[in-house]
Amino acid sequence: MPTTNSLYGRRLPGYAIATAIVLTAAIGLAFFYAPIEADQGFSQKIFYIHVPLSIVTLGGFVFGGIFAVQYLRSGESRHDLRSYTAIHQGLVFCTGALITGSIWGKAAWGQWWVWDEPTLVSFLIVFLLYCTYQPLRFSIEDPERQARYAAVFAVVAGIFVPLNFLAVRLASPLIHPRVFSNSGDSLPGDMRIAFYTALVGIALLFITICKYEMSSKHSRAQLAALRRSISGEGNEPAPARSAAPRIAVK
Amino acid sequence: MSATRPPSTLSATHAVLYKELTLERRAPQTLTAMALFCASVFVIFHFALDRNEIEGALAAGVLWVTLTLAALLGIGRSFVADREEGGLDGFLLAPAPRTALLIAKATTLLIFLLIVGFFAALIFSVLLLGPTPNATQWASLALLILLADLGIALVGTLIAGIAIQTRARDLITSILALPLLIPLLIAVTKASEPLLSVGGGTLAGRWLALLGLYDLIFGLLAYALFDYLVED
């Protein structure tokens, strides 16, 4: 099995501090700098969390697919771990995007769920598809085969996302408030600054959590390896059912 | 002694396809189960909706939900015999291109889906459908069944290849296939709706284009990724 011995936690404190600073700035800008939207009032403020969460979710799924391609090409387990983490955290952020979207829908249109809204419906379908990633991994015992099949899934799902958005959009009337018009940016300047700051903040949060998860998994694998060497159990970890990639340490 | 040449993709595909169809002809399982399933679901819909006749969007929904669920039965059975009887190991030991297995399995599934699709459309028109489609509408519906079944066969073969190696095969097949088939179902139900409406209607080009795009994308994906599913 290929070994993974890189230090995932190397830049973690720097990312964590940057995330805290940018997210605090984004909250400050959203609540105290950006103007109150004329139609929707204060409830529109959820836009500064909902839209960045949605964009970062899609980015996470796309990177999950790219890392999966890298795994299929190279067979290196670190790419599988990256793909797994990106999709795992993407799913968490997708849940956040669905919940905030639902709250926004209740505030803007008086309903928790609106089927006419193509972006929200597309997210639900994408969420349902990516929810199968963990059960799929969990149902394959052999770690190498698990990684390979999960990578195939990640590539298929990554390509599926834009096709799904196209199909749902063709089938639905447009009522979702468009952040950017087809001809260009439609946000007023003050809102734009707050929005981009929130986007960078949420993206940094995503990267930090992903790095934390990879670092945590790697540390646990190292600790388990040390315990095995002390107790003389050998290098190979005992077989165990898990959806997470198995990390081999030197 | 002359070295024997490995079989070409075409001849290997032909051999596997012949095996699949012979198996189904000698011991019919999948096709009959799918057809019976469709008839039973139409009866269930009659009682569940409490309607003798349906048309338009409801008719399109009932027809395609039934066909999709029937397709899941076919997808679930696609690699079972090969896995349990060692056929997959035999194929991997042979110097045949693995793409042949993909093409043969997808073609087999497509043939099954087409037979069941046309059978289901026929009994649906007798049991539940209110309006009587004319010849042009039947031809349009046949084109839709062909395009949709091609997409289901491609996605289904890919999913069946993944699911066969898992412990919870039946569960994985259903939960993976249904979300992946949603764009196809959106296109095919929207396209079928005017064909099954009172007064009739014509086929919209954009849904045909979407179905074609779906088939093309998943055809390329299945071709590119299938080898990784049958490495061992």
Side-chain angles (χ1 to χ4, degrees):
Chain A
M1 187 191 302
T3 58
T4 305
N5 213 15
S6 52
L7 296 169
Y8 289 107
R10 202 171 42 195
R11 298 197 199 101
L12 191 53
Y15 274 108
I17 292 165
T19 303
I21 292 170
V22 178
L23 270 185
T24 309
I27 291 167
L29 285 169
F31 282 101
F32 302 111
Y33 178 72
I36 300 285
E37 212 259 344
D39 287 340
Q40 297 177 45
F42 185 76
S43 65
Q44 183 267 345
K45 297 289 183 193
I46 203 168
F47 155 85
Y48 298 105
I49 297 174
H50 168 70
V51 179
L53 273 177
S54 312
I55 294 171
V56 170
T57 295
L58 293 182
F61 290 153
V62 167
F63 275 103
I66 292 170
F67 291 137
V69 171
Q70 286 179 327
Y71 174 77
L72 289 175
R73 287 167 68 99
S74 69
E76 292 177 29
S77 61
R78 65 193 168 105
H79 294 307
D80 178 45
L81 179 62
R82 285 174 176 159
S83 176
Y84 169 84
T85 311
I87 291 173
H88 184 205
Q89 295 306 328
L91 201 55
V92 174
F93 277 54
C94 191
T95 310
L98 280 172
I99 292 171
T100 52
S102 188
I103 293 169
W104 194 9
K106 178 68 177 170
W109 305 307
Q111 286 175 303
W112 291 109
W113 189 259
V114 185
W115 282 107
D116 290 341
E117 205 318 85
T119 316
L120 207 55
V121 175
S122 300
F123 259 90
L124 179 63
I125 298 167
V126 168
F127 174 78
L128 289 173
L129 178 63
Y130 276 96
C131 276
T132 63
Y133 182 71
Q134 299 274 349
L136 172 65
R137 290 193 74 116
F138 194 68
S139 65
I140 304 171
E141 281 174 36
D142 178 56
E144 193 276 329
R145 186 181 282 173
Q146 181 194 69
R148 186 151 42 86
Y149 281 51
V152 169
F153 170 88
V155 176
V156 172
I159 306 272
F160 168 83
V161 170
L163 190 62
N164 174 54
F165 271 75
L166 174 70
V168 177
R169 181 141 296 191
L170 278 175
S172 316
L174 295 175
I175 62 163
H176 195 271
R178 298 264 77 84
V179 180
F180 303 110
S181 64
N182 289 335
S183 56
D185 199 330
S186 64
L187 274 179
D190 301 344
M191 286 184 170
R192 200 185 310 159
I193 291 168
F195 169 73
Y196 283 127
T197 311
L199 181 59
V200 173
I202 297 285
L204 280 171
L205 179 68
F206 183 84
I207 295 167
T208 306
I209 292 176
C210 283
K211 279 194 162 290
Y212 181 80
E213 185 179 0
M214 288 192 286
S215 171
S216 161
K217 283 194 180 349
H218 192 245
S219 301
R220 276 166 57 186
Q222 278 182 315
L223 189 63
L226 277 172
R227 279 193 180 133
R228 282 196 304 276
S229 67
I230 290 168
S231 60
E233 289 174 22
N235 286 332
E236 276 299 307
R241 283 182 68 180
S242 171
R246 187 185 289 183
I247 301 165
V249 288
K250 283 176 183 170
Chain B
M1 192 177 70
S2 63
T4 50
R5 282 188 304 168
S8 67
T9 305
L10 193 66
S11 62
T13 305
H14 180 262
V16 178
L17 184 62
Y18 180 75
K19 185 267 290 178
E20 293 287 333
L21 297 178
T22 307
L23 200 66
E24 186 61 27
R25 186 169 55 82
R26 288 187 183 164
Q29 276 188 325
T30 312
L31 258 179
T32 43
M34 289 165 77
L36 278 172
F37 177 86
C38 287
S40 305
V41 173
F42 290 145
V43 175
I44 288 170
F45 268 121
H46 159 72
F47 288 107
L49 299 171
D50 196 20
R51 301 266 291 270
N52 292 334
E53 290 185 346
I54 52 176
E55 58 97 21
L58 185 60
V62 167
L63 177 62
W64 284 105
V65 164
T66 306
L67 285 176
T68 306
L69 295 179
L72 287 182
L73 295 180
I75 294 168
R77 299 296 303 171
S78 192
F79 282 91
V80 171
D82 300 86
R83 176 82 173 154
E84 288 174 355
E85 308 293 334
L88 207 55
D89 296 333
F91 181 85
L92 293 177
L93 284 171
R98 282 153 193 193
T99 312
L101 188 62
L102 166 72
I103 300 171
K105 286 287 182 185
T107 310
T108 308
L109 195 53
L110 178 63
I111 293 169
F112 288 178
L113 288 171
L114 285 174
I115 294 170
V116 171
F118 291 126
F119 168 76
L122 196 68
I123 57 169
F124 177 69
S125 69
V126 174
L127 292 178
L128 279 175
L129 187 63
T132 309
N134 59 30
T136 316
Q137 285 160 343
W138 275 117
S140 301
L141 197 61
L143 178 64
L144 281 179
I145 290 174
L146 177 66
L147 282 174
D149 283 352
L150 181 59
I152 295 172
L154 290 166
V155 173
T157 307
L158 200 56
I159 296 300
I162 292 175
I164 197 67
Q165 302 288 1
T166 63
R167 270 193 308 265
R169 191 176 57 221
D170 297 335
L171 293 178
I172 294 292
T173 303
S174 305
I175 61 171
L176 273 183
L178 284 177
L180 281 175
L181 289 173
I182 288 176
L184 180 140
L185 280 174
I186 291 171
V188 81
T189 46
K190 290 279 179 186
S192 306
E193 184 185 330
L195 306 174
L196 305 175
S197 298
V198 177
T202 52
L203 203 53
R206 64 175 173 160
W207 301 120
L208 285 180
L210 184 60
L211 281 173
L213 183 68
Y214 185 94
D215 294 351
L216 178 70
I217 287 174
F218 276 98
L220 291 174
L221 268 178
Y223 178 74
L225 296 172
F226 193 74
D227 279 12
Y228 293 108
L229 300 178
V230 287
E231 270 189 4
D232 46 20

